[in-house]
Amino acid sequence: MKRAKKYPFLKLQRQRFSLHFSNQSSIAALPAERDFYRWIWHALKHSFRRAEISLILLDEEAARAYNRDYRGKDYATNVLSFAFNEGEIFPDQLSDGLYGDLVICPQVVLKEAAEQGKTPEQHFAHLTLHGTLHLMGYDHIDEAEAEIMETLETRLLNQLGYPNPYV
């Protein structure tokens, strides 16, 4: 009888991607850390050899302070992305990786999900992918960039079993 090859997929995956997760939100019913990990990994696994991302869930007041201090907009937003490579030069051992922070405000995400008729899980998945794509260099400032980013978001969400968020 043939023996199955042992493939240390999870070990290799953990070597390629680490998520530093911190839930500082007062909201109880949120996706688990493993869900955020799966969504982020799905977005970046084909594009980067290594990735290290910090994800923090913050209540509205703290999220508002981040948005005000870093973007000059005095309101809490759903997701903020801070890529470490923006304008920085890394040593060679870090040059093939993605390094950054995501800040998500669950109160805003849950409010938007209700307004848009989406499940909280669908909207968290979408915004986690959206923020990760920003870390990867995608943007939606002009119409052409927005179309590229939205098409990619829709494809990734579909692969994960979620519907198109833009319909």
Side-chain angles (χ1 to χ4, degrees):
M1 176 185 278
K2 261 187 164 178
R3 289 181 58 187
K5 287 184 182 179
K6 288 186 178 182
Y7 187 73
F9 172 75
L10 292 177
K11 183 179 177 183
L12 292 173
Q13 181 184 31
R14 297 284 181 200
Q15 289 174 348
R16 287 188 54 204
F17 171 49
S18 62
L19 176 65
H20 306 281
F21 180 80
S22 178
N23 181 359
Q24 297 180 18
S25 171
S26 60
I27 303 295
L30 295 174
E33 178 179 352
R34 71 182 176 274
D35 295 318
F36 289 105
Y37 185 98
R38 180 172 55 98
W39 298 329
I40 295 169
W41 170 251
H42 190 68
L44 60 80
K45 65 185 175 185
H46 297 296
S47 300
F48 291 91
R49 291 178 49 98
R50 295 183 34 89
E52 190 169 332
I53 295 175
S54 294
L55 170 62
I56 185 169
L57 305 178
L58 295 176
D59 283 331
E60 284 183 90
E61 186 176 322
R64 179 181 182 170
Y66 269 87
N67 202 25
R68 181 189 60 240
D69 294 348
Y70 293 101
R71 294 181 62 228
K73 299 183 180 187
D74 195 17
Y75 58 87
T77 190
N78 49 27
V79 63
L80 293 167
S81 302
F82 302 96
F84 289 154
N85 63 351
E86 291 178 329
E88 298 179 28
I89 298 174
F90 282 124
D92 287 340
Q93 68 267 26
L94 299 179
S95 64
D96 66 344
L98 176 67
Y99 305 90
D101 296 328
L102 293 174
V103 176
I104 294 178
C105 181
Q107 287 93 341
V108 174
V109 175
L110 293 170
K111 179 182 174 202
E112 290 176 349
E115 291 170 354
Q116 297 172 19
K118 300 175 183 175
T119 68
E121 180 183 350
Q122 289 171 337
H123 205 43
F124 273 104
H126 176 214
L127 292 173
T128 302
L129 285 171
H130 183 86
T132 303
L133 291 176
H134 276 305
L135 292 178
M136 294 169 63
Y138 290 91
D139 215 331
H140 47 82
I141 293 173
D142 66 42
E143 198 172 314
E145 289 177 334
E147 187 174 328
I148 291 168
M149 189 169 179
E150 289 173 9
T151 299
L152 182 54
E153 286 172 352
T154 301
R155 182 172 52 85
L156 292 169
L157 286 165
N158 183 264
Q159 290 169 352
L160 289 165
Y162 297 107
N164 183 342
Y166 296 105
V167 292

